[in-house]
Amino acid sequence: MTLRKPVRRVVTGHDDAGRAVVLFDDADAPNTFSSETIPGFGASVVWFTPSGTVDHVTDEDPAPAGRQFNFPGVGETIVRIADFPPDAAYPQNAGDAVFEEIQGQEEREAGGEHSDGKHFWFHRTESIDYAVVLEGEITLLVDEGEVTMRAGDVAIQRATAHAWSNRTDKVARMMFVLVGTEPISPAQIAARRSGARTPEPA
């Protein structure tokens, strides 16, 4: 099984005199998941903030080992480093295997409305996601279209159904900053867009 490269996490804070200090310097982020069934697939949650006021005072680690993170609620943020192995590394029932491991069955169902089953990673979350390719190459698929991204490229994913396809022979590493947003369905978005373009009656 392919071993994941560790994710080093450095977090700053303050001491009791208000001076800035390095609070954590972890050789490998403690909240790390490595798949037992999909070689090279895994992720580390390096930080989390709840909705409301962000805590800059305490030394509490909001992303400790063992805490379960799925997708953010409204106003919450999650910073996640994820490794995507080549598509060929996934088992035949890839969609079932992936979403069972990340407990994302609802997100999978929400992403399948218009994708016509063209890729097992299709899902949709109620969030705006800033996705940065750190290493390798990966293809972002949406219902209508796709874009291949390489190290340094950034995608802004706005609550759309999407999938990540690694068509190379090497693991791709990405950083995601996920910000939970108010729920709105694609049908509601379509209705509002249509409404916005409808001229006012005379």
Side-chain angles (χ1 to χ4, degrees):
M1 183 171 291
T2 305
L3 296 177
R4 288 189 71 240
K5 184 172 71 173
V7 175
R8 183 182 179 190
R9 182 185 72 157
V10 178
V11 180
T12 64
H14 296 86
D15 66 13
D16 292 345
R19 294 171 297 206
V21 297
V22 174
L23 185 61
F24 304 122
D25 185 353
D26 303 307
D28 195 4
N31 193 289
T32 294
F33 154 78
S34 292
S35 174
E36 294 294 325
T37 58
I38 306 168
F41 174 52
S44 297
V45 172
V46 296
W47 204 249
F48 166 80
T49 61
S51 60
T53 303
V54 174
D55 174 20
H56 291 310
V57 177
T58 72
D59 295 343
E60 180 182 356
D61 184 352
R67 180 171 179 182
Q68 179 68 42
F69 291 97
N70 296 321
F71 298 100
V74 178
E76 296 177 343
T77 68
I78 295 174
V79 182
R80 179 179 281 130
I81 307 294
D83 287 341
F84 294 89
D87 285 2
Y90 291 85
Q92 191 166 3
N93 62 336
D96 294 336
V98 164
F99 290 103
E100 182 175 329
E101 287 200 332
I102 67 172
Q103 298 181 13
Q105 291 88 348
E106 290 183 15
E107 289 76 15
R108 179 190 186 189
E109 184 176 341
E113 182 178 359
H114 300 291
S115 66
D116 298 322
K118 62 184 174 183
H119 197 275
F120 59 83
W121 251 119
F122 256 91
H123 62 292
R124 180 180 186 270
T125 60
E126 300 288 0
S127 59
I128 183 165
D129 307 337
Y130 308 109
V132 184
V133 181
L134 301 178
E135 298 176 12
E137 176 182 302
I138 201 159
T139 299
L140 168 64
L141 290 83
V142 290
D143 292 332
E144 299 290 338
E146 61 178 59
V147 178
T148 297
M149 299 171 58
R150 298 173 181 85
D153 292 345
V154 182
I156 294 86
Q157 194 283 116
R158 302 170 60 215
T160 50
H162 65 288
W164 300 104
S165 177
N166 184 346
R167 300 166 180 172
T168 75
D169 60 357
K170 297 179 181 177
V171 172
R173 173 163 283 192
M174 300 186 70
M175 181 181 77
F176 296 91
V177 180
L178 303 97
V179 183
T181 55
E182 293 286 347
I184 183 169
S185 71
Q188 290 172 314
I189 291 171
R192 292 188 186 182
R193 288 175 60 84
S194 298
R197 293 174 181 170
T198 301
E200 292 292 327

